[in-house]
Amino acid sequence: MYEPIRSKSVHSTMAGPDDFPHRSREEELDIQLAGHLAALLAVTDELRAAAPSADLDTAAERLTQEITRLRGGRTPARATTSTRGREPDATALHRKAHALAGRALVVAASRADTAAAILAAERMDAHTAALKQRPLASSAH
């Protein structure tokens, strides 16, 4: 009653599982962790431009080293931040940095990267301390 299929299915002629690159879970986590640390580095550089400090300089150097390690030797791009014409909101930057360090800590913990986890936790602590030293922006009104 039915004639057998004589040609290959269109699904079998599509790209096979080996036709495009796949990354392991570890590689995906490395990419994600490097991204969070790079974002944290960018905020750290903004804070350094607004109020230079030895702690922020050290943090930026350590972040650069971790990102370079995770990216297989490729150093992160660094933007020069200009505060000309506007005063950056240091409280908002510390909050953003704290959140980014928290995200990095979660990913570092999931991939069991002790060095990155320690660095992220230290940055969270540093930004928490900086926030406690600053008066709340809402109380200035």
Side-chain angles (χ1 to χ4, degrees):
M1 189 152 138
Y2 292 105
E3 186 174 338
I5 297 173
R6 294 175 192 216
S7 61
K8 289 187 174 192
S9 166
V10 293
H11 299 289
S12 66
T13 59
M14 295 176 69
D18 296 328
D19 292 342
F20 55 94
H22 291 279
R23 287 186 275 236
S24 69
R25 181 175 186 276
E26 285 296 314
E27 291 169 322
E28 289 292 339
L29 289 174
D30 283 350
I31 291 166
Q32 190 175 23
L33 180 56
H36 290 315
L37 292 176
L40 179 57
L41 177 60
V43 175
T44 300
D45 283 342
E46 283 187 66
L47 284 165
R48 287 175 60 220
S53 77
D55 177 56
L56 290 173
D57 292 343
T58 302
E61 181 59 36
R62 290 180 63 203
L63 287 166
T64 300
Q65 290 171 354
E66 283 299 310
I67 296 165
T68 301
R69 177 182 63 84
L70 290 165
R71 290 184 175 170
R74 291 180 293 137
T75 57
R78 304 282 298 270
T80 56
T81 307
S82 172
T83 58
R84 234 179 323 143
R86 65 174 173 84
E87 183 65 30
D89 182 1
T91 301
L93 288 174
H94 281 295
R95 283 189 185 126
K96 185 175 182 178
H98 184 272
L100 289 166
R103 290 179 190 141
L105 179 59
V106 169
V107 177
S110 71
R111 71 178 291 283
D113 187 330
T114 306
I118 290 171
L119 176 58
E122 288 173 357
R123 295 318 309 151
M124 286 182 73
D125 290 345
H127 294 294
T128 298
L131 286 168
K132 286 181 180 178
Q133 292 175 356
R134 296 187 173 282
L136 292 176
S138 61
S139 65
H141 292 105

